[in-house]
Amino acid sequence: MSSTVSYADRRALLAAELEDAGCDAIVVDHPQHVRWLTGFTGSNGAVLVYADGRAMVSTDGRYTTQIGVEAPDLELHLSRNCAIELAGRAGVKRLGFEAGHVTVAAMRRIAAALDAAKGEELVETADLVEKLRAVKDDAELEALRAVADIAVKAFEGLVESGAIAAGNTERDVAAELEHRMRIGGADGIAFDTIVASGPNSAKPHAGAEDRELRDGDLLTIDFGAAKDGYHSDMTRTLIVGGPDAAEDFAMEIYSTVLRAQLAGVASARPGTPLADVDRACREIIVAAGHGEYFVHSTGHGIGLDVHEAPYASSRSTETLVTGMTLTIEPGIYVPGYGGVRIEDTVIVTDGEPEIITPLPKTV
Ligand code: GLY
Ligand code: MN
Ligand code: MN
């Protein structure tokens, strides 16, 4: 990353939320949150952030060297039980914890580390870091563009390779695509690659099976790369053998999903309610008579997690702001026949949405 990450700035954003959340400090041990707040990438760690911005970290002996490199400026306390260790040292009356990430058993152990005689108590918090992470800083946007570019180039290579052809299996296509992402610089895949052909494409979350592709099949490929902790996510639907091999109905649902997807992308502007992004896609599919086959919501943010805030669904109550990422992924899935999904990831900017997955959208 060439944009410098300021972990102190991120912790200051969290610290500024604590008073309203009813706490004097918060202990965080969800790995993506520890990473976002400190730069530490190990599997066991916690960070304590005070309302005045001070912070300390904990990890176990396996990571002493690593945390010294990744989070060199933070006071370190070694322990296997990181959150409990930091809770015991916090010395505040109201210690927040992340109710969405801590098990009941862990919460009880953290509470036991507090000094009840001094009036110390645990306070539940919800989604504080998630809301901050929804708006990406420059370093994150750079990482997201880079990981999306790896996936885009891998898909272009896949198409050129001729692997998408009748007689090859879904598994063959997934392996070729994943190999290309790896040698293109990915640390791994973002999620299990979906290569769903013919009737399998009617399952939004199909896998990649032994089915052989046939000319005329709808073929949905939903894939992503992972690099430096960040993820990409995009979907293209093709017709095996090209448009001449397609049935009219397949082309009809394809063109409907494409119109819906373009409308959704165009709507992704700062100030737009996320429910309106969902509506922009859904009303086109409903008007075409396929509403019952659009069985999921329209999209999600992406970053250190593949699925993270914000979420675009009919129930969303939040609004897009500049710096958010969002996937726009409407689909039509006709059981027993097949399905179409088209998915891009966009960055919300002050102007047009920036599509970071700019592959052609043709069959
Ligand atoms: N591949 C998962 C998704 O598109 O959300
Ligand atoms: Mn996807
Ligand atoms: Mn997605």
Side-chain angles (χ1 to χ4, degrees):
M1 285 188 209
S2 58
S3 289
T4 321
V5 187
S6 173
Y7 297 105
D9 285 353
R10 294 180 183 171
R11 291 193 296 273
L13 291 173
L14 177 59
E17 298 292 326
L18 294 183
E19 169 87 43
D20 280 352
C23 9
D24 309 309
I26 186 169
V27 64
V28 170
D29 68 355
H30 183 57
Q32 282 88 316
H33 291 185
V34 173
R35 181 177 190 145
W36 190 78
L37 289 163
T38 69
F40 174 57
T41 62
S43 65
N44 183 32
V47 57
L48 176 73
V49 177
Y50 289 92
D52 65 8
R54 283 177 301 134
M56 58 178 84
V57 288
S58 178
T59 187
D60 64 66
R62 294 171 298 167
Y63 292 116
T64 315
T65 306
Q66 184 176 327
I67 202 166
V69 173
E70 293 178 337
D73 301 330
L74 289 170
E75 184 181 322
L76 170 64
H77 298 279
L78 285 179
S79 169
R80 286 182 60 79
N81 303 310
C82 303
I84 297 169
E85 167 75 15
L86 294 181
R89 290 177 177 275
V92 295
K93 283 250 160 40
R94 302 170 302 165
L95 178 65
F97 74 102
E98 298 190 287
H101 297 289
V102 175
T103 64
V104 173
M107 181 194 74
R108 290 186 179 141
R109 289 198 296 270
I110 294 169
L114 301 184
D115 191 339
K118 290 188 182 156
E120 294 179 7
E121 59 171 7
L122 268 187
V123 175
E124 276 193 29
T125 70
D127 298 337
L128 295 179
V129 181
E130 283 85 344
K131 282 188 182 138
L132 298 173
R133 279 178 50 203
V135 182
K136 272 64 184 174
D137 55 35
D138 287 345
E140 294 187 288
L141 295 177
E142 234 170 75
L144 284 159
R145 290 185 188 105
V147 71
D149 192 54
I150 289 169
V152 164
K153 291 202 165 71
F155 191 86
E156 288 169 344
L158 171 74
V159 171
E160 280 163 23
S161 76
I164 302 175
N168 285 348
T169 66
E170 294 173 354
R171 203 182 291 280
D172 294 332
V173 174
E176 180 70 29
L177 180 55
E178 290 176 6
H179 175 70
R180 285 173 181 273
M181 289 195 282
R182 262 288 185 186
I183 60 175
D187 298 331
I189 54 175
F191 50 86
D192 286 344
T193 303
I194 296 172
V195 178
S197 63
N200 287 346
S201 63
K203 295 179 279 184
H205 269 198
E209 301 175 5
D210 292 322
R211 185 180 182 280
E212 288 184 5
L213 312 187
R214 296 182 204 148
D215 282 333
D217 277 349
L218 283 164
L219 177 67
T220 299
I221 305 179
D222 184 351
F223 63 106
K227 186 171 179 61
D228 297 331
Y230 287 82
H231 301 92
S232 72
D233 186 12
M234 63 183 302
T235 307
R236 289 295 182 268
T237 299
L238 309 174
I239 306 271
V240 179
D244 293 344
E247 291 179 9
D248 290 347
F249 183 67
M251 291 306 291
E252 198 259 302
I253 59 175
Y254 187 89
S255 67
T256 303
V257 172
L258 180 56
R259 280 191 295 121
Q261 205 268 348
L262 295 173
V265 170
S267 76
R269 300 279 192 145
T272 304
L274 281 142
D276 287 0
V277 178
D278 184 81
R279 187 174 308 119
C281 295
R282 200 167 298 277
E283 67 190 7
I284 289 172
I285 293 175
V286 169
H290 303 306
E292 71 185 289
Y293 299 130
F294 181 11
V295 291
H296 54 71
S297 55
T298 287
H300 52 89
I302 184 164
L304 289 172
D305 285 304
V306 176
H307 298 113
E308 60 182 46
Y311 296 94
S313 82
S314 59
R315 298 173 308 283
S316 300
T317 55
E318 288 168 344
T319 295
L320 285 172
V321 303
T322 296
M324 283 180 167
T325 55
L326 189 67
T327 68
I328 315 275
E329 50 178 304
I332 294 176
Y333 310 91
V334 183
Y337 180 78
V340 173
R341 177 167 64 258
I342 303 171
E343 174 180 28
D344 282 314
T345 298
V346 305
I347 295 171
V348 179
T349 77
D350 292 336
E352 302 264 317
E354 176 187 343
I355 300 173
I356 62 170
T357 50
L359 280 172
K361 288 179 258 204
T362 57
V363 295

